[in-house]
Amino acid sequence: MRTLTRNMLAGALAGLLMLAAMAAQAADPLPSWNEGASKARILAFVEAVTQQGGKDFVPVEDRIAVFDNDGTLWAEQPMYVQLFFAIDRVKALAPKHPEWKTQQPFKAVLEGDMKSLAASGEKGLVTLVMATHAGMTTTEFEKIVRDWMATARHPTTHRPFTKMVYQPMLELLQYLRANGFKTYIVSVVGVSFKQPWTQAVYGVPPEQVIGSTIKTKFELRNGEPVLVRLPQIDFIDDKDGKPVGINAHIGRRPILAFGNSDGDLQMLQWTTAGAGPRLALYVHHTDATREWAYDRKSAFGRLDKGLDEARVKGWTVVDMKQDWKVVFPDAK
Amino acid sequence: MRTLTRNMLAGALAGLLMLAAMAAQAADPLPSWNEGASKARILAFVEAVTQQGGKDFVPVEDRIAVFDNDGTLWAEQPMYVQLFFAIDRVKALAPKHPEWKTQQPFKAVLEGDMKSLAASGEKGLVTLVMATHAGMTTTEFEKIVRDWMATARHPTTHRPFTKMVYQPMLELLQYLRANGFKTYIVSVVGVSFKQPWTQAVYGVPPEQVIGSTIKTKFELRNGEPVLVRLPQIDFIDDKDGKPVGINAHIGRRPILAFGNSDGDLQMLQWTTAGAGPRLALYVHHTDATREWAYDRKSAFGRLDKGLDEARVKGWTVVDMKQDWKVVFPDAK
């Protein structure tokens, strides 16, 4: 009796799910994408891997899609959002650090001297990140990020950074999830800087966020367990690090990878080297009017080797100007 | 029209899901657990956090449950399964390493001299693990683990290790998932040693497996991307490391944690320190007849401080002998 009821329920559910899927298919799942080769390839891929009994069918548990963040899901010009955060934090913390007035790279930040800041190079950058991202508990840092994200604005568009996301990519994430994909973010941005807001902004839960990490240390403070963020780099999730992070975190190879720079090249190589259907995509920033136009020579999000390899391997290069009807949400 | 259809479908689906949930509740979800305080607390907790509108309701995305592996989900006596694997690998690789005949800890392994092996201590253990777990690609290692798991047998029960899992825990994992929980494994066992079989054995997908890691390196070999396993420890997922691993991987605090040893103490502390309803449990190995009886003095899975803290804090201590109707599957 119980088995019968269960089977009947399962049958009814399956039927309804199929109807729901058909209804979803009837509408355009990617309304902000212009008709063209990029959109057609995405639609064809998703249809192929979800077609039960088809030669390219992929079981739902293997439908893993990975997305870079900066320049792929949101804007990265004139510089990475996490850098704006670090700079704002230096300014906020400066009263407690009088020594910063004469110490680089802090002096440069406080004086708005971007040239000296750039000259401080990677070492300066790491010093800046450690001074602003470590020394507090994970819970405290999460609140700092949330509070900043709620009030910070992009310097030229004056939008909140969470509104500098790409509308076509929001639709793609949603479309993939509606087709059984698990969507992951894999980017050099610190994992703790992303986790507080990815669910609200992208619909990606914190456990599907992979990124750079600093070391943390468990402590009991008056009997209360805390995790303290230490000024020590643990892992850099960029270039070679992306497949490493994906493997450690997910334990299986994605079937779809979407990036926008040479920092994503190894992730696309790793994804496409698996058996069966694979889709690799690059956002090419070609739209100086609605966003920015840059590729081979950009300081942030350089796309050079990746662009060449995409052409050789036939990866999909999404031309922002041609392929996207709108760029940002609420800007239709 | 489209909206109407969608709403109707959603309504029908919700109704059916509720019916299915009611049908599932009617049957005993934990048939291998004897009636008693442990079972009652588990059932009461799950009912409380899933009761929409109730004061202890927890949204489905926050229903995170973490489980230790060795001694919690499967047996860890007379020693950890991963050690059996390392020893078997040393024997298999010995023909290529004539130097091992005179080199410790390899000599001890090859001569079955467990006393000298134990005397080699943690340093010997690390040497053994590095010699057997590194030096190949991730894909090669996965196959080695799968092949070994398919043929290896426990030395006294002669069962496959994957049949040395605890039937009551399989039911609990399933029961939690049926109630919207995401179930994670968090244990000192290497993540790459667990990921190939956790889905089949526990229903836990590789992306919900957290564990110790060694470093890996991305390489192109004749144009083919591979990840090479390096003989370098990256992270030890034990004691203080468990909350660290949970935070880095999941990015939110679990509401249920289940362990069996002092190695799980910090995970239980971290889990129960969050706001709202929390459940912390220990398996207490009290059954010398059906499994093993050990706690405060065991070399593997010592439960000493944890047992004291569980009593002080009122955590649930599952008494294997009293609380479990059966221990292993197919042994009813």
Side-chain angles (χ1 to χ4, degrees):
Chain A
M1 177 64 193
R2 208 180 109 222
T3 311
L4 225 169
T5 310
R6 285 245 176 120
N7 282 348
M8 285 167 60
L9 283 171
L13 271 171
L16 279 174
L17 285 169
M18 205 181 287
L19 277 174
M22 285 165 66
Q25 266 184 347
D28 181 354
L30 302 174
S32 299
W33 291 70
N34 286 317
E35 301 307 319
S38 297
K39 181 172 180 171
R41 284 182 79 168
I42 293 170
L43 294 174
F45 178 79
V46 172
E47 273 165 35
V49 302
T50 55
Q51 198 192 334
Q52 194 96 34
K55 73 172 177 44
D56 285 334
F57 178 75
V58 174
V60 71
E61 63 270 20
D62 288 323
R63 292 181 207 157
I64 305 282
V66 288
F67 289 80
D68 170 57
N69 188 57
D70 289 45
T72 301
L73 295 179
W74 76 4
E76 62 186 349
Q77 299 296 351
M79 63 180 184
Y80 300 137
V81 176
Q82 198 173 3
L83 266 182
F84 285 114
F85 170 77
I87 287 172
D88 280 358
R89 290 303 298 160
V90 165
K91 290 175 185 166
L93 295 169
K96 285 184 188 167
H97 293 274
E99 74 280 10
W100 285 356
K101 280 185 196 153
T102 55
Q103 222 173 59
Q104 291 296 15
F106 304 104
K107 184 171 181 286
V109 169
L110 294 175
E111 294 171 357
D113 173 5
M114 299 311 277
K115 209 170 152 184
S116 298
L117 181 59
S120 76
E122 198 180 308
K123 202 184 153 202
L125 193 71
V126 170
T127 307
L128 214 59
V129 169
M130 290 310 160
T132 52
H133 288 64
M136 70 292 281
T137 69
T138 51
T139 309
E140 287 162 354
F141 186 69
E142 189 182 324
K143 182 174 169 4
I144 291 168
V145 172
R146 274 183 204 278
D147 289 350
W148 182 81
M149 218 36 111
T151 55
R153 293 290 180 274
H154 188 275
T156 61
T157 67
H158 308 296
R159 288 170 156 251
F161 289 106
T162 52
K163 294 284 179 190
M164 295 289 291
V165 297
Y166 304 133
Q167 177 64 26
M169 297 303 280
L170 297 183
E171 291 167 7
L172 176 56
L173 287 167
Q174 179 50 38
Y175 172 54
L176 290 172
R177 288 192 294 262
N179 282 281
F181 280 77
K182 262 192 188 172
T183 52
Y184 281 84
I185 294 170
V186 180
S187 90
V188 70
V189 179
V191 65
S192 311
F193 182 72
K194 293 178 290 195
Q195 282 173 329
W197 49 269
T198 53
Q199 176 69 53
V201 175
Y202 301 133
V204 174
E207 61 267 29
Q208 284 161 227
V209 176
I210 307 176
S212 299
T213 48
I214 61 173
K215 289 199 187 285
T216 64
K217 184 175 173 287
F218 179 87
E219 268 183 32
L220 288 177
R221 288 187 176 170
N222 304 320
E224 180 79 9
V226 294
L227 288 170
V228 182
R229 293 172 59 82
L230 305 180
Q232 264 180 279
I233 288 177
D234 179 50
F235 174 64
I236 300 290
D237 193 22
D238 198 27
K239 299 189 176 75
D240 289 7
K242 291 207 174 194
V244 169
I246 288 169
N247 183 65
H249 197 105
I250 310 179
R252 46 182 147 202
R253 200 186 297 247
I255 63 166
L256 184 156
F258 211 139
N260 80 299
S261 79
D262 285 355
D264 304 311
L265 180 55
Q266 289 83 354
M267 177 167 85
L268 271 58
Q269 289 171 336
W270 176 248
T271 298
T272 52
R278 306 276 153 172
L279 189 64
L281 308 101
Y282 265 129
V283 176
H284 191 192
H285 293 265
T286 52
D287 196 328
T289 310
R290 297 183 301 173
E291 207 240 5
W292 285 269
Y294 60 96
D295 48 30
R296 296 186 190 273
K297 286 174 181 167
S298 178
F300 296 98
R302 177 171 306 173
L303 179 62
D304 181 31
K305 283 184 198 170
L307 201 53
D308 294 336
E309 187 149 339
R311 281 169 186 165
V312 171
K313 297 202 169 159
W315 295 343
T316 302
V317 178
V318 173
D319 183 313
M320 188 180 276
K321 192 173 178 178
Q322 299 296 329
D323 285 331
W324 288 0
K325 209 170 286 178
V326 296
V327 176
F328 300 118
D330 316 317
K332 296 173 196 181
Chain B
M1 177 64 194
R2 206 180 109 222
T3 312
L4 225 169
T5 311
R6 284 243 176 122
N7 282 345
M8 284 166 60
L9 282 171
L13 271 170
L16 279 174
L17 285 169
M18 204 182 289
L19 276 174
M22 285 164 66
Q25 265 185 348
D28 181 354
L30 302 174
S32 298
W33 291 69
N34 286 316
E35 300 307 320
S38 297
K39 181 172 181 172
R41 285 183 77 168
I42 293 170
L43 294 173
F45 178 79
V46 172
E47 274 165 36
V49 301
T50 55
Q51 199 193 334
Q52 194 97 35
K55 73 171 176 49
D56 286 334
F57 178 75
V58 174
V60 70
E61 63 270 22
D62 287 324
R63 292 182 206 156
I64 304 283
V66 288
F67 288 80
D68 170 58
N69 188 56
D70 289 44
T72 301
L73 295 179
W74 77 3
E76 63 185 350
Q77 301 293 351
M79 64 181 182
Y80 299 138
V81 175
Q82 198 174 3
L83 265 181
F84 284 115
F85 170 76
I87 287 171
D88 280 358
R89 291 302 300 160
V90 166
K91 291 176 186 165
L93 295 168
K96 286 184 190 169
H97 292 275
E99 74 280 11
W100 285 356
K101 279 186 194 150
T102 54
Q103 222 175 55
Q104 291 297 15
F106 305 104
K107 183 171 184 284
V109 169
L110 295 173
E111 293 171 356
D113 173 6
M114 298 311 276
K115 210 169 151 184
S116 298
L117 181 58
S120 76
E122 199 181 306
K123 201 185 152 200
L125 193 69
V126 170
T127 307
L128 213 59
V129 169
M130 291 308 160
T132 52
H133 288 64
M136 68 293 280
T137 69
T138 51
T139 310
E140 288 162 354
F141 186 69
E142 189 181 323
K143 183 173 167 8
I144 292 168
V145 171
R146 275 184 203 278
D147 289 350
W148 183 80
M149 222 30 115
T151 55
R153 294 291 181 272
H154 188 276
T156 60
T157 68
H158 309 294
R159 286 169 156 251
F161 289 106
T162 51
K163 294 285 179 191
M164 295 290 289
V165 296
Y166 304 134
Q167 176 64 25
M169 297 303 281
L170 297 182
E171 292 167 8
L172 176 57
L173 288 167
Q174 179 50 39
Y175 172 55
L176 290 173
R177 288 192 294 262
N179 282 281
F181 280 77
K182 262 193 188 172
T183 52
Y184 281 84
I185 295 170
V186 180
S187 88
V188 70
V189 179
V191 65
S192 311
F193 182 73
K194 291 179 291 194
Q195 282 173 329
W197 50 269
T198 53
Q199 177 68 54
V201 175
Y202 301 132
V204 174
E207 62 267 30
Q208 285 163 223
V209 175
I210 307 175
S212 298
T213 48
I214 60 174
K215 289 197 186 289
T216 64
K217 184 174 173 288
F218 180 86
E219 267 182 33
L220 287 178
R221 289 187 177 170
N222 306 319
E224 179 80 9
V226 294
L227 287 171
V228 183
R229 294 172 58 83
L230 304 179
Q232 264 181 281
I233 289 178
D234 178 50
F235 175 64
I236 300 290
D237 193 22
D238 198 28
K239 300 190 176 74
D240 289 7
K242 292 206 173 193
V244 169
I246 287 169
N247 183 66
H249 196 105
I250 309 179
R252 46 182 147 203
R253 202 186 294 248
I255 63 167
L256 184 156
F258 211 138
N260 82 300
S261 79
D262 285 354
D264 303 311
L265 179 55
Q266 288 83 353
M267 177 168 85
L268 270 58
Q269 289 172 337
W270 177 247
T271 298
T272 52
R278 307 277 152 171
L279 189 64
L281 309 100
Y282 265 130
V283 175
H284 191 192
H285 292 265
T286 52
D287 197 328
T289 309
R290 296 183 301 173
E291 207 240 5
W292 284 270
Y294 59 97
D295 48 31
R296 296 186 190 271
K297 286 175 181 165
S298 178
F300 297 98
R302 178 172 305 174
L303 179 62
D304 181 30
K305 283 183 196 170
L307 201 52
D308 294 336
E309 188 149 337
R311 282 169 186 166
V312 170
K313 297 202 170 161
W315 294 342
T316 302
V317 177
V318 173
D319 183 315
M320 187 181 276
K321 191 171 178 180
Q322 299 296 328
D323 284 331
W324 287 0
K325 209 170 281 176
V326 297
V327 176
F328 300 117
D330 316 319
K332 297 171 195 183

